[in-house]
Amino acid sequence: MAKALVIGNWKMNLDYVEAVHLTQQVAALLASRPAERVDVALAPPFVDLRSVTSVLEAERSLVTVAAQHVSDRDNGAFTGEVSVAMLKRLGITWVIVGHSERRTMYHMDDASVADTLKAVLRGGLNAVLCVGEDLATREAENHESFVNHQLVSALSGVEEFAERVTVAYEPIWAIGTGVTATTGQVDAMMAAMRLQLASLGFSSSRVLYGGSVNADNAAEIVTEAGVDGFLVGGASLKAESFGAIIHACDDCYAERR
Ligand code: PGA
């Protein structure tokens, strides 16, 4: 059975005490109402990773853990950086690569995204590659070619790892703004991306949507826009809204277009 994937990207929120609390709440929520068609992951800040994996282990939860970023280097004199091997040792499953906040605020260019993706995949972890256009690119109607270029740039040369790659389409203008892309916009982009992904050898990759997803719009997006799940920011910081998104996916994924 194909499963959807819902990842909660906590960004730079929640210290380790708060992280433990929210993880316990999410694990309890899924224990009381399992979501059989959905893989669930939490992406806390680096300093919370150990606590979150420990709670999930203790609860025997199926929820997995993602890091929000990683170095493209193996080890050495890179002050402030964290390596793929360090994450692997902690029991981390996924790494988010090339989130638009890293691209725009921390000068992560396409080459750096590609290098980081390679490091993650060669190091044995799963990657969630983020792509998406800004508002000016959308208004100029260049969004499909822009995203296609991001896919080609990141994914060329890593076809052998295709089964460990998930892609998230996150239009920058919809992230944290409360403005969700319409289901028509998401659906059109999904179709364009799946064509491009197939031509690159990634036809089996799950394609997620991210950008102001919440408990009220999740079901409609899954049903109408042919997504394989969500990368959720703000709404993942409360167990109730994150749980509602997971259960909307669970209810609607089989019926999606
Ligand atoms: P948002 O963030 O759900 O708060 O818009 C999504 C993301 O940046 O992954």
Side-chain angles (χ1 to χ4, degrees):
M1 180 178 70
K3 281 186 163 191
L5 172 63
V6 175
I7 304 176
N9 176 13
W10 296 357
K11 307 192 180 186
M12 198 175 75
N13 294 294
L14 309 183
D15 64 29
Y16 86 93
V17 177
E18 295 163 329
V20 164
H21 188 58
L22 180 56
T23 305
Q24 284 168 334
Q25 288 180 322
V26 171
L29 204 134
L30 291 172
S32 68
R33 185 178 161 200
E36 278 156 17
R37 288 195 198 89
V38 187
D39 293 323
V40 178
L42 302 176
F46 281 128
V47 292
D48 300 345
L49 289 172
R50 182 73 179 127
S51 310
V52 169
T53 53
S54 299
V55 170
L56 293 170
E57 262 171 49
E59 304 284 339
R60 297 182 198 285
S61 172
L62 295 175
V63 174
T64 53
V65 182
Q68 298 173 14
H69 177 61
V70 76
S71 173
D72 59 354
R73 310 301 178 97
D74 290 342
N75 64 282
F78 303 105
T79 301
E81 293 295 302
V82 168
S83 74
V84 172
M86 292 171 186
L87 295 178
K88 207 171 169 193
R89 183 81 184 226
L90 277 181
I92 304 310
T93 305
W94 314 86
V95 184
I96 298 172
V97 179
H99 189 281
S100 64
E101 286 154 16
R102 302 246 29 121
R103 292 183 191 251
T104 55
M105 293 185 228
Y106 301 99
H107 314 294
M108 201 176 182
D109 60 12
D110 282 341
S112 160
V113 170
D115 288 345
T116 307
L117 189 76
K118 279 193 186 74
V120 168
L121 296 171
R122 288 188 182 140
L125 295 183
N126 299 283
V128 182
L129 169 68
C130 297
V131 296
E133 80 286 354
D134 63 13
L135 191 57
T137 307
R138 164 69 62 171
E139 284 174 350
E141 295 184 9
N142 289 329
H143 46 286
E144 285 187 11
S145 57
F146 182 86
V147 166
N148 280 342
H149 173 78
Q150 287 183 316
L151 292 176
V152 172
S153 158
L155 294 173
S156 301
V158 290
E159 305 77 15
E160 66 190 286
F161 304 111
E163 78 282 2
R164 285 198 274 114
V165 174
T166 295
V167 180
Y169 169 57
E170 298 204 303
I172 295 172
W173 45 273
I175 295 178
T177 57
V179 179
T180 319
T182 65
T183 53
Q185 287 172 324
V186 179
D187 196 42
M189 185 58 96
M190 288 293 131
M193 287 173 67
R194 286 188 203 277
L195 271 179
Q196 182 68 71
L197 286 168
S199 79
L200 291 168
F202 291 80
S203 46
S204 61
S205 290
R206 286 187 282 201
V207 188
L208 315 181
Y209 168 76
S212 298
V213 175
N214 59 44
D216 297 327
N217 60 26
E220 186 191 352
I221 302 172
V222 175
T223 315
E224 302 292 323
V227 303
D228 296 315
F230 296 118
L231 185 52
V232 186
S236 71
L237 295 172
K238 293 265 181 293
E240 203 176 64
S241 46
F242 190 52
I245 292 167
I246 293 164
H247 288 125
C249 255
D250 195 39
D251 293 341
C252 303
Y253 189 55
E255 279 83 49
R256 82 193 196 287
R257 294 182 46 218

